Amino acid sequence: MPQHAGTEYDYHHLQHVKEQSKSKRTLWITLLLTLFFTIVEIVGGILSNSLALLSDSAHMISDVIALGLSMTAIYLATRPPNARYTFGFLRFEIIASFLNGLALCVIAVGIFIEGTRRFIRPEEMDFRLMLTIASIGFVVNLVLTIVLSRSMREEENLNVQSALWHFLGDLMSSAGVIVAAIVIYFTDWLFFDPLISMVIGGIIFVGGAKILKESTAILMESVPEKFNLDEIRADLAAVEGVEDVHEMHLWAISTDHYSLTAHMFVRADIQPFCIILAVNEMLKEKYGITHSTIQMEHANIHPHGEYGKQFLRQQEEKQLLQQ
């Protein structure tokens, strides 16, 4: 059918866009504050020669990049589908989260390598400057962590979650640098600086691995953890008129956009539109799934190889038992 001037490319009963005003505002505030403090921390880390402070500044640089990716993802998510990207641009949110998680893991490994080197050969540092900048950083990161936590409660977003992990890591980094500066001042244990940085690196790695795992699962189109596919299959099979459910897939486009497809053998004496209505209503009310594609079939008409033959044999056996 030709498209009329002024109309959208295609009709979607579920808009594949995601308006996230709260997340957008939160990430803008976070990005600007992070960019400012990153510059302060880099200068302070170089002047004080503190690995813990430099590792935190390196992490802050990754935060700026991560937040930039997250902002790009949020703006792309508001663009409507087109002839090439029929699901819209929601998936970029997951790609950005994957890159953020990967950056966290890489930074953690780098911190651990440099920490090991400095652990073997401790270096002098300006603990007063180290303590001052770390204290400022702790306050900044605490404020940003609270802001992101509140945003997560209002709008589910894997990008904000990955940013939150970045800043939880930063908060712990700042606290670690403060502890290291105090310990070095009273004990002159220079090895405590790389030791703290390695602990921070471990924490950062755990957060990055968690984000990587979640984003990879979505990119691999695995069944979201909140759903039980066998339970949904059983509920579909229980709908009046449905005799068999097969070729069933359930995946996430983004953190809260789910799609389901399934093939069904249905009874010929029941109106298929009634079955579709009942299926869609059940999926929406019980599971919150509003985007589904159901293909109704008859095993005699639509060939399914050995599976279809086995189904027809079972149907014949049932009819014989009923006679």
Side-chain angles (χ1 to χ4, degrees):
M1 181 183 294
Q3 297 297 310
H4 298 287
T7 62
E8 294 183 3
Y9 156 70
D10 197 7
Y11 172 75
H12 290 75
H13 73 273
L14 173 67
Q15 290 297 312
H16 296 289
V17 296
K18 191 174 183 180
E19 295 290 344
Q20 304 163 94
S21 56
K22 180 66 177 180
S23 297
K24 191 183 298 181
R25 185 168 60 253
T26 298
L27 287 175
W28 266 120
I29 294 170
T30 306
L31 176 60
L32 293 174
L33 285 174
T34 303
L35 183 60
F36 170 75
F37 188 70
T38 298
I39 297 170
V40 173
E41 201 164 42
I42 290 172
V43 174
I46 294 171
L47 293 177
S48 66
N49 196 34
S50 165
L51 176 62
L53 204 55
L54 283 171
S55 67
D56 193 36
S57 67
H59 187 210
M60 293 290 279
I61 292 173
S62 80
D63 290 344
V64 173
I65 297 171
L67 289 167
L69 283 170
S70 297
M71 288 301 302
T72 303
I74 283 179
Y75 279 102
L76 282 176
T78 62
R79 294 179 61 182
N82 57 38
R84 184 172 181 82
Y85 298 98
T86 57
F87 275 113
F89 298 84
L90 296 175
R91 185 56 67 89
F92 191 80
E93 174 192 326
I94 310 305
I95 296 173
S97 299
F98 177 87
L99 294 174
N100 288 344
L102 186 62
L104 283 169
C105 291
V106 170
I107 288 167
V109 171
I111 290 172
F112 194 82
I113 292 172
E114 179 63 16
T116 302
R117 188 187 70 79
R118 286 211 187 187
F119 198 89
I120 297 171
R121 294 180 181 177
E123 298 182 10
E124 292 289 338
M125 63 202 72
D126 185 342
F127 77 90
R128 290 184 180 85
L129 181 59
M130 174 182 168
L131 180 61
T132 301
I133 294 177
S135 299
I136 297 171
F138 182 84
V139 173
V140 172
N141 287 318
L142 180 61
V143 171
L144 294 178
T145 300
I146 292 171
V147 169
L148 289 168
S149 296
R150 288 179 176 174
S151 177
M152 272 294 294
R153 286 196 294 269
E154 293 186 31
E155 289 180 353
E156 184 182 359
N157 187 307
L158 194 57
N159 271 311
V160 176
Q161 183 182 336
S162 62
L164 180 59
W165 267 105
H166 274 277
F167 286 101
L168 282 171
D170 284 339
L171 186 63
M172 294 175 188
S173 296
S174 299
V177 175
I178 292 170
V179 171
I182 294 172
V183 170
I184 291 169
Y185 175 75
F186 286 106
T187 64
D188 204 31
W189 292 347
L190 296 179
F191 69 85
F192 210 78
D193 178 62
L195 178 63
I196 286 293
S197 71
M198 290 166 74
V199 172
I200 293 167
I203 295 169
I204 292 171
F205 188 88
V206 170
K210 184 176 184 293
I211 297 297
L212 268 180
K213 179 183 176 183
E214 291 184 21
S215 56
T216 300
I218 295 176
L219 290 173
M220 290 298 293
E221 298 189 341
S222 65
V223 176
E225 289 187 4
K226 66 185 289 185
F227 298 118
N228 183 318
L229 199 64
D230 290 333
E231 180 184 338
I232 298 175
R233 189 192 305 275
D235 285 336
L236 289 173
V239 173
E240 185 179 3
V242 176
E243 296 186 319
D244 180 77
V245 180
H246 54 277
E247 194 66 31
M248 181 174 170
H249 303 279
L250 173 59
W251 70 100
I253 302 299
S254 65
T255 45
D256 57 358
H257 254 65
Y258 306 109
S259 287
L260 180 145
T261 63
H263 292 200
M264 295 177 175
F265 290 145
V266 298
R267 283 166 47 188
D269 61 331
I270 295 185
Q271 173 60 256
F273 295 116
C274 294
I275 299 175
I276 284 285
L277 183 62
V279 165
N280 287 338
E281 189 69 18
M282 184 277 293
L283 289 172
K284 179 181 178 181
E285 295 300 321
K286 188 168 183 178
Y287 297 103
I289 298 172
T290 55
H291 190 266
S292 62
T293 303
I294 308 298
Q295 179 168 314
M296 298 193 184
E297 303 168 330
H298 193 288
N300 282 320
I301 302 173
H302 301 85
H304 280 73
E306 188 58 37
Y307 184 87
K309 293 176 183 176
Q310 184 178 353
F311 172 78
L312 289 172
R313 283 196 296 267
Q314 290 174 350
Q315 293 298 99
E316 290 174 1
E317 288 173 3
K318 285 181 182 178
Q319 290 176 359
L320 289 173
L321 290 173
Q322 290 173 357
Q323 288 177 358

